[in-house]
Amino acid sequence: MAKKNAKNTERRAMVEQMRAEQARKERMRSLAILGTCVAIVIGLLGVAVVKYVQDNNKTSKLNNTALRKLGVAASVAGCQPIKTTKTDKNQTHIPAPTPITYADAPPAFGAHRPQPAAFGRPFYSDDRPEVATLVHNEEHGYTIAWYDDTAAKDKTEMAALETIANKFKDANERFIAAPWHTSDGAAFPDGTHIALTRWTAKAGDTSNEAEQRGNWQYCGQVSGAVIDDFFKKWPNSESPEPGLM
């Protein structure tokens, strides 16, 4: 009887050993599969990240190239040299309906309404905010492309300008295109229908009003290259009130 029990014990031990070995092999197989899956996922993520960076770089470059190709070439846009003058040192907030008059057409600086136009609307037509409201945007570093009634009638010009404005919006840049009507003030110089404006202040010394400037460039036609160059001339830090909005 003792001999039979010994055999049973030995048989159970062998079975347990076989089960343990089988379990060990299963664990090793599972770990191998998991390792392979992890390696594949890491590889795919790596490829995706590289492609994402490459696509972003490519898109950024293409957008910049496309912007400069919109409208006409700079050489045929009929643009005057950039004009720069000292400001009138007036950043007063004047609530509506008190009228505000400007010496320049369009204005690049001066007293303005207490609230600027909301960020995110890059192109206006007949629903444009008041001129004095947009002057407040200029105080915060916006470049504004004003177009007169003649340009407004040219569908090709307007399509190019609106596309340019939307490209700046997509890049979260401070740019607005808006109409300038005869009721707003004097006409642009002869032969010009687009006016770019920017209110600047010396970088690092924005409290010194003597360093503030109004900047204009008048053009006969819309040129993405001209607008791009004008926009890049001054960073937002060179604004009377940079970083706001």
Side-chain angles (χ1 to χ4, degrees), residues 2-43:
K3 188 174 181 180
K4 185 175 180 181
N5 288 339
K7 287 182 177 180
N8 289 339
T9 300
E10 183 179 352
R11 187 180 298 109
R12 284 197 297 269
M14 289 179 63
V15 170
E16 290 299 324
Q17 183 178 358
M18 291 174 64
R19 287 177 178 172
E21 180 64 18
Q22 183 64 28
R24 185 187 69 81
K25 289 180 179 179
E26 289 294 334
R27 285 196 300 272
M28 294 297 293
R29 186 180 298 110
S30 297
L31 289 173
I33 294 172
L34 178 61
T36 300
C37 291
V38 169
I40 292 172
V41 170
I42 292 175

Side-chain angles (χ1 to χ4, degrees), residues 33-179:
I33 294 172
L34 178 61
T36 300
C37 291
V38 169
I40 292 172
V41 170
I42 292 175
L44 291 174
L45 285 174
V47 171
V49 169
V50 170
K51 189 175 187 307
Y52 175 79
V53 172
Q54 291 175 339
D55 287 347
N56 269 3
N57 291 337
K58 183 179 180 182
T59 299
S60 177
K61 186 176 180 181
L62 286 174
N63 282 344
N64 185 60
T65 301
L67 170 63
R68 297 188 66 84
K69 288 185 176 181
L70 288 166
V72 302
S75 59
V76 297
C79 296
Q80 298 182 357
I82 293 175
K83 170 185 143 184
T84 297
T85 67
K86 290 184 179 181
T87 74
D88 59 4
K89 302 182 182 181
N90 189 347
Q91 293 177 238
T92 305
H93 288 179
I94 300 178
T98 302
I100 304 175
T101 57
Y102 297 100
D104 301 296
F109 57 84
H112 45 269
R113 296 306 184 203
Q115 295 297 324
F119 184 86
R121 176 78 183 272
F123 184 86
Y124 290 94
S125 53
D126 292 337
D127 60 345
R128 182 208 71 191
E130 188 181 2
V131 169
T133 296
L134 294 178
V135 173
H136 195 151
N137 288 80
E138 292 177 315
E139 184 183 37
H140 293 309
Y142 275 77
T143 293
I144 298 185
W146 307 84
Y147 57 92
D148 69 8
D149 294 335
T150 298
K153 296 175 184 176
D154 190 319
K155 293 182 179 180
T156 300
E157 289 275 279
M158 289 301 94
L161 186 56
E162 185 169 7
T163 302
I164 289 169
N166 283 324
K167 284 187 177 295
F168 281 109
K169 176 189 174 183
D170 293 342
N172 292 317
E173 297 287 5
R174 300 182 182 212
F175 181 92
I176 288 175

